[in-house]
């Protein structure tokens, strides 16, 4: 759902807890104040601590003083201005999920990556998310081509086998055992062993839930959480996902664990809440400025 988004630079106080950050009013930026677009898709902190904002009208980098915009006007080698997500590998190379495919960025120039489908044909796809795995592998979630695996900075290929039917991927997370948890559209939550190329287990794939899984995350103890579009947040307990009552039936658009081991939950149009896994307590932040801090945070 399209929403006007303002980026609060209080995020730059990381790695302090978000609760402390929220207590401080940061400066707000939008299309009228340095950002290239008020429609933001991801806020990202790179390996050097710089803040990047992926927007529908270019890529913005904040250096502590102001934003610099990267778009087709400033960099003709960008395929388009619609940047949906961003990641960075161990060599400090950036990967960009674009409307129509993948690009890399070395800080100076952009390069388009080839995307190869299961039949071996070059294709274009809409990139939704990245997962930087602990072993250095890079997985890419798409709409239309399921999960991609990056072969090199110039190419990625679509994974088949047990993942062949999972066409749209909303988010992914790696657990403490190296297994990949994949939030899909119409197939619920998949637990994937990429070393064996097999889906080991499926959750929330019954008709009442399979189309509503949107986000997957984990806390520092390795517990798995799922954000849905109709039933708030669920947590895996004893092999079963149980609803966290305080999250109600709200639509979850962001889910991550911050540096204080709190689960930060962003809702579509209804703010943020902070869940403490140790106590089960939930603190609500309903101010629109906090709700508008971006669809996805990556640290």
């Amino acid at each position: 759902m399209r929403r006007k988004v303002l980026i609060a630079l209080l995020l730059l106080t990381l790695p302090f807890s978000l609760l402390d950050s929220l207590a401080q009013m940061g400066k707000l930026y939008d299309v009228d104040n340095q950002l290239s677009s008020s429609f933001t898709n991801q806020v990202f902190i790179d390996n050097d601590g710089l803040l990047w904002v992926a927007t529908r009208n270019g890529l913005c980098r904040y250096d502590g003083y102001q934003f610099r915009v990267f778009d087709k006007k400033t960099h003709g080698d960008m395929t388009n201005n619609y940047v949906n997500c961003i990641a960075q590998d161990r060599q400090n190379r950036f990967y960009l999920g674009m409307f129509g495919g993948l690009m890399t960025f070395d800080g100076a120039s952009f390069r388009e990556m080839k995307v190869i489908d299961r039949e071996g044909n070059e294709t274009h796809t809409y990139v939704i998310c990245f997962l930087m795995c602990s072993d250095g592998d890079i997985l890419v979630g798409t709409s239309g081509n399921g999960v991609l695996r990056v072969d090199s900075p110039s190419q990625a290929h679509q994974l088949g086998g047990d993942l062949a039917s999972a066409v749209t991927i909303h988010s992914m997370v790696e657990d403490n055992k190296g297994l990949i948890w994949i939030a899909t559209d119409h197939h619920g939550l998949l637990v994937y062993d990429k070393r064996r190329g097999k889906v080991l287990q499926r959750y929330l794939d019954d008709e009442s839930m399979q189309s509503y899984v949107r986000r997957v995350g984990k806390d520092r103890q390795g517990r798995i959480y799922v954000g849905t579009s109709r039933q708030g947040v669920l947590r895996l307990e004893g092999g079963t996902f149980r609803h966290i009552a305080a999250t109600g039936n709200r639509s979850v658009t962001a889910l991550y664990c911050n540096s204080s081991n709190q689960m930060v939950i962003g809702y579509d149009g209804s703010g943020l809440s902070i869940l403490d896994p140790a106590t089960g307590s939930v603190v609500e932040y309903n101010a629109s400025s906090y709700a508008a801090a971006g669809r996805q945070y990556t640290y």
Side-chain angles (χ1 to χ4, degrees):
M1 178 179 181
R2 293 188 176 187
R3 296 177 286 140
K4 185 175 182 180
V5 178
L6 305 177
I7 302 302
L9 290 184
L10 49 83
L11 291 174
L12 292 176
T13 59
L14 292 171
F16 300 111
S17 75
L18 186 62
L19 283 175
D20 290 337
S21 299
L22 289 174
Q24 306 170 29
M25 287 302 297
K27 188 173 183 179
L28 299 180
Y29 288 79
D30 63 6
V31 70
D32 297 320
N33 186 20
Q34 298 192 28
L35 281 184
S36 59
S37 173
S38 288
F39 290 103
T40 70
N41 295 319
Q42 184 182 0
V43 176
F44 179 82
I45 306 296
D46 71 16
N47 295 342
D48 296 319
L50 297 179
L51 182 147
W52 297 76
V53 183
T55 84
R56 298 185 185 185
N57 191 33
L59 182 65
C60 305
R61 184 185 69 195
Y62 186 76
D63 61 8
Y65 299 96
Q66 63 183 359
F67 276 102
R68 176 184 177 185
V69 176
F70 300 82
D71 58 19
K72 284 187 66 63
K73 291 182 180 179
T74 61
H75 290 73
D77 47 6
M78 287 185 72
T79 56
N80 60 75
N81 286 335
Y82 197 118
V83 185
N84 199 47
C85 53
I86 181 171
Q88 188 177 26
D89 65 17
R90 295 174 178 177
Q91 288 72 46
N92 294 323
R93 181 185 297 108
F94 292 98
Y95 290 80
L96 306 177
M98 313 291 292
F99 185 85
L102 284 165
M103 299 201 78
T104 59
F105 179 52
D106 62 7
S109 59
F110 295 84
R111 296 182 183 276
E112 188 172 9
M113 296 177 63
K114 289 183 179 180
V115 175
I116 308 300
D117 65 19
R118 293 195 307 273
E119 286 71 41
N121 301 315
E122 188 172 349
T123 187
H124 295 279
T125 191
Y126 180 83
V127 177
I128 297 177
C129 62
F130 290 102
L131 176 62
M132 314 304 285
C133 300
S134 58
D135 62 2
D137 280 351
I138 304 172
L139 300 182
V140 185
T142 75
S143 175
N145 292 96
V147 179
L148 310 177
R149 184 171 184 170
V150 172
D151 304 312
S152 71
S154 61
Q155 181 175 296
H157 74 275
Q158 183 179 0
L159 299 181
D162 288 352
L163 294 180
S165 60
V167 176
T168 298
I169 308 300
H170 293 297
S171 69
M172 298 180 285
V173 70
E174 182 180 17
D175 70 15
N176 295 348
K177 297 179 180 179
L179 300 177
I180 311 302
W181 295 67
I182 306 173
T184 74
D185 199 24
H186 300 298
H187 294 279
L189 182 67
L190 308 180
V191 184
Y192 181 68
D193 185 340
K194 65 184 181 67
R195 291 169 294 184
R196 294 192 285 168
K198 293 183 177 296
V199 171
L200 304 182
Q201 199 158 1
R202 300 171 186 266
Y203 292 96
L204 306 173
D205 60 344
D206 58 286
E207 291 185 4
S208 65
M209 285 298 297
Q210 63 182 3
S211 299
Y212 303 104
V213 175
R214 290 294 181 270
R215 293 288 179 264
V216 58
K218 68 171 184 176
D219 63 25
R220 292 179 181 270
Q221 281 67 51
R223 290 171 292 199
I224 300 296
Y225 297 75
V226 167
T228 75
S229 63
R230 63 177 294 178
Q231 198 178 346
V233 176
L234 314 174
R235 184 168 68 185
L236 186 62
E237 300 175 5
T240 301
F241 276 96
R242 302 187 185 281
H243 182 230
I244 297 176
T247 63
N249 60 359
R250 288 179 286 181
S251 178
V252 176
T253 57
L255 180 65
Y256 73 96
C257 182
N258 68 13
S259 59
S260 299
N261 196 32
Q262 299 159 329
M263 296 303 298
V264 181
I265 306 164
Y267 305 101
D268 187 358
S270 59
L272 295 171
S273 65
I274 314 295
L275 167 67
D276 186 340
T279 64
S281 62
V282 176
V283 177
E284 297 286 340
Y285 289 92
N286 291 318
S288 60
S289 60
Y290 301 146
R295 193 176 68 189
Q296 180 181 350
Y297 304 129
T298 307
Y299 303 102

